[in-house]
């Protein structure tokens, strides 16, 4: 089974190694020390940029799927309410059928949001094997013996890129690995938290889908923390840079293409209104025209305030001689 898995990953290992070697060659050409840590760290950063750029079409699909899921949340809730409290087999099958028909009619795939991270896992394992090969003195693909030796000498804050917390090459490995594991977990938590708090509508927050996402929000960092101590420093670095890339990418998308009914959409509308108001003051054009919206209905004029009529005082309080 292990040999089959290795043979399955080998083409991807070769691609990962080729990207790193190409980036390393370019960095060496501009003056970086080929055996220095910065050259190999930046090679891993280049790997992240290339992989994430290649995954942009899937990321766009993920965003569209997420938006569509939120749009159909009210309809999903109606289906769930319809069969709430009915635990017989026929009701469960009917609810599943109606849910799948709703997904089909709205052209929504609930699993599309998981595609980017699922497709990154093989790359993650491929990099893991490439770094382990370097540590054992074995190169993958374009890694010749000279490059393997240079990569073995590379250090980041005193630790080898192929070292792990569980298998350190020096005292600094414990500190570097621990810091990277913490950064990896916190950045993963931040990316998911931002998505859930800024880009979900009220209907989505009340759905079973959100409850599952909320559970994963706290479970995944724990899983990464436990497994992270066995990852090579280079893999931890790759994951941290990937999370940073995701945070920046997600911030831009949420700011400019928020989900309907989400807090981010309200913030976007407020920014547009503010910008339109400033432009209206400069140009004299109506705000609604700048926003491309229909002219607002005229505000009804309030009834004029009626003049207060003096009250007649009782005879006992009138002044003498008053009528």
């Amino acid at each position: 089974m292990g040999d089959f898995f290795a043979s399955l990953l080998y083409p991807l290992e070769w691609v990962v190694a080729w990207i790193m070697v190409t980036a390393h060659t370019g960095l060496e050409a501009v003056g970086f020390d080929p055996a220095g840590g910065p050259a190999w760290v930046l090679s891993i950063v280049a790997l992240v940029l290339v992989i994430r750029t290649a995954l942009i079409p899937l990321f766009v699909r993920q965003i569209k799927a997420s938006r569509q899921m939120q749009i159909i949340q009210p309809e999903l809730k109606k289906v769930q309410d319809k069969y709430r409290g009915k635990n017989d087999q026929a009701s469960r099958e009917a609810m599943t059928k109606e849910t799948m028909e709703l997904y089909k009619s709205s052209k929504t795939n609930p699993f599309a949001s998981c595609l980017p991270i699922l497709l990154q896992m093989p790359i993650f394992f491929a990099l893991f094997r490439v770094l382990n090969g370097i540590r054992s003195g074995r190169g993958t693909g374009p890694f010749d013996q000279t490059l393997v030796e240079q990569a073995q000498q590379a250090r980041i804050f005193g630790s080898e890129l192929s070292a792990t917390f569980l298998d350190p090459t020096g005292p600094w490995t414990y500190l570097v690995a621990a810091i990277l594991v913490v950064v990896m977990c916190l950045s993963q938590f931040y990316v998911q938290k931002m998505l859930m708090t800024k880009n979900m509508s009220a209907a989505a927050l009340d759905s079973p889908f959100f409850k599952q996402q909320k559970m994963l929000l706290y479970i995944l960092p724990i899983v990464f923390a436990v497994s992270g101590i066995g990852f090579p420093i280079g893999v931890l670095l790759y994951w941290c840079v990937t999370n940073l890339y995701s945070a920046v990418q997600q911030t831009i998308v949420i700011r400019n293409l928020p989900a309907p009914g989400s807090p981010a959409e309200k913030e976007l509308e407020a920014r547009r209104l503010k910008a339109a108001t400033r432009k209206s003051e400069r140009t004299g054009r109506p705000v609604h025209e700048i926003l491309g919206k229909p002219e607002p209905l005229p505000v009804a004029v309030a009834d004029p305030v009626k003049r207060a009529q003096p009250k007649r005082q009782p005879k006992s309080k009138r002044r003498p001689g008053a009528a």
Side-chain angles (χ1 to χ4, degrees):
M1 185 66 181
D3 292 340
F4 174 76
F5 183 72
S7 62
L8 199 63
L9 272 182
Y10 183 76
L12 196 53
E13 288 179 45
W14 201 97
V15 172
V16 167
W18 182 83
I19 294 172
M20 289 181 64
V21 169
T22 302
H24 180 266
T25 302
L27 291 166
E28 184 180 0
V30 297
F32 279 81
D33 177 9
W40 289 105
V41 168
L42 290 176
S43 297
I44 294 175
V45 173
L47 174 65
V48 173
L49 295 178
V50 170
I51 297 300
R52 290 309 300 258
T53 301
L55 290 177
I56 283 178
L58 281 178
F59 179 75
V60 172
R61 186 176 176 184
Q62 175 192 19
I63 293 298
K64 289 181 178 179
S66 179
R67 286 172 59 84
Q68 195 63 26
M69 278 292 293
Q70 297 202 41
I71 290 173
I72 67 171
Q73 280 304 319
E75 297 300 320
L76 282 174
K77 192 172 187 304
K78 288 180 182 178
V79 174
Q80 292 157 5
D81 290 342
K82 179 179 177 181
Y83 294 98
R84 193 181 303 277
K86 300 178 181 179
N87 297 320
D88 57 284
Q89 183 69 20
S91 297
R92 288 196 296 269
E93 289 178 356
M95 185 176 74
T96 302
K97 183 180 178 181
E98 288 189 32
T99 301
M100 297 308 295
E101 287 176 353
L102 181 59
Y103 287 148
K104 185 177 180 180
S105 62
S106 61
K107 298 180 181 179
T108 304
N109 184 354
F111 302 106
S113 59
C114 303
L115 281 176
I117 192 169
L118 289 177
L119 288 179
Q120 282 190 85
M121 294 310 293
I123 299 166
F124 172 82
F125 286 117
L127 177 60
F128 188 100
R129 289 179 59 83
V130 168
L131 291 175
N132 276 348
I134 289 172
R135 189 172 191 182
S136 62
R138 173 182 54 83
T140 302
F143 266 98
D144 57 25
Q145 196 57 37
T146 301
L147 286 171
V148 169
E149 291 174 0
Q150 290 174 350
Q152 285 177 330
Q153 296 173 37
R155 297 287 189 278
I156 172 174
F157 303 116
S159 176
E160 290 182 5
L161 291 174
S162 56
T164 71
F165 187 92
L166 296 177
D167 189 12
T169 55
W172 284 104
T173 301
Y174 292 111
L175 181 61
V176 174
I179 291 174
L180 288 175
V181 167
V182 170
V183 171
M184 177 181 68
C185 295
L186 290 179
S187 57
Q188 181 77 25
F189 180 85
Y190 172 76
V191 169
Q192 288 299 113
K193 185 73 172 178
M194 176 174 58
L195 178 65
M196 294 170 65
T197 56
K198 300 281 287 184
N199 205 39
M200 282 194 172
S201 63
L205 294 176
D206 194 36
S207 66
F209 175 74
F210 173 77
K211 293 174 183 176
Q212 294 172 3
Q213 291 291 100
K214 190 174 182 180
M215 188 181 301
L216 289 175
L217 174 68
Y218 295 99
I219 292 176
L220 284 180
I222 297 173
V223 172
F224 276 109
V226 173
S227 59
I229 59 175
F231 297 160
I233 297 296
V235 172
L236 293 174
L237 182 66
Y238 170 87
W239 209 252
C240 289
V241 176
T242 295
N243 287 345
L244 178 61
Y245 185 104
S246 297
V248 174
Q249 187 181 49
Q250 195 164 271
T251 299
I252 294 172
V253 171
I254 290 176
R255 179 179 173 84
N256 297 287
L257 194 64
S262 65
E265 185 185 48
K266 295 177 183 178
E267 292 175 6
L268 177 61
E269 291 296 328
R271 289 196 303 271
R272 286 175 174 171
L273 179 60
K274 187 176 180 181
T277 302
R278 288 199 299 265
K279 189 172 182 179
S280 176
E281 291 172 353
R282 292 196 310 269
T283 63
R285 292 174 60 197
V287 172
H288 73 271
E289 184 179 310
I290 296 172
L291 291 173
K293 295 183 177 181
E295 185 175 0
L297 295 174
V299 179
V301 179
D303 292 336
V305 179
K306 295 181 179 180
R307 181 175 176 271
Q309 299 295 324
K311 295 180 179 180
R312 291 179 59 85
Q313 293 180 338
K315 291 182 178 182
S316 60
K317 293 186 178 181
R318 293 181 189 174
R319 296 192 306 273

